[in-house]
Amino acid sequence: MEQPPLSGLLTTQDLIALVRLSRTSIYRMTRQGRFPPACSIGNGHIRWREADVRAWMAELPSQAYPQGDSEPRYDPPHSPRRLS
């Protein structure tokens, strides 16, 4: 899916809309070095470079699903039995 063009510098709200992550997740991943760092543009304002974010998105690994006739099955955790 092609992403719409943006201005080159992304606000936090632009970034949340683009990558579909919460603000908390973005800041946590940035601290962990798993997301492009923000840039200070003065007066306490920060922005992310759109090119850096799109490059990060392009490098994300694809999810591979096993081939077969049946779809992956969800096995819910077993709840303890009630003793009556």
Side-chain angles (χ1 to χ4, degrees):
M1 183 169 108
E2 190 169 324
Q3 299 292 330
L6 297 170
S7 67
L9 292 176
L10 307 175
T11 65
T12 304
Q13 292 304 312
D14 293 336
L15 191 59
I16 289 168
L18 180 63
V19 299
R20 304 282 191 227
L21 291 170
S22 70
R23 180 181 179 276
T24 302
S25 293
I26 290 167
Y27 281 94
R28 181 182 342 102
M29 290 172 68
T30 300
R31 279 193 312 274
Q32 295 170 342
R34 298 173 39 216
F35 195 81
C39 305
S40 174
I41 61 170
N43 292 329
H45 297 284
I46 62 168
R47 300 291 186 270
W48 282 262
R49 289 183 186 94
E50 180 183 358
D52 292 348
V53 174
R54 290 194 188 272
W56 172 82
M57 290 171 65
E59 295 297 318
L60 290 173
S62 297
Q63 177 64 45
Y65 294 98
Q67 298 294 322
D69 295 335
S70 64
E71 293 186 17
R73 196 177 75 161
Y74 172 70
D75 291 325
H78 297 289
S79 57
R81 291 185 183 182
R82 271 197 167 156
L83 298 176
S84 317

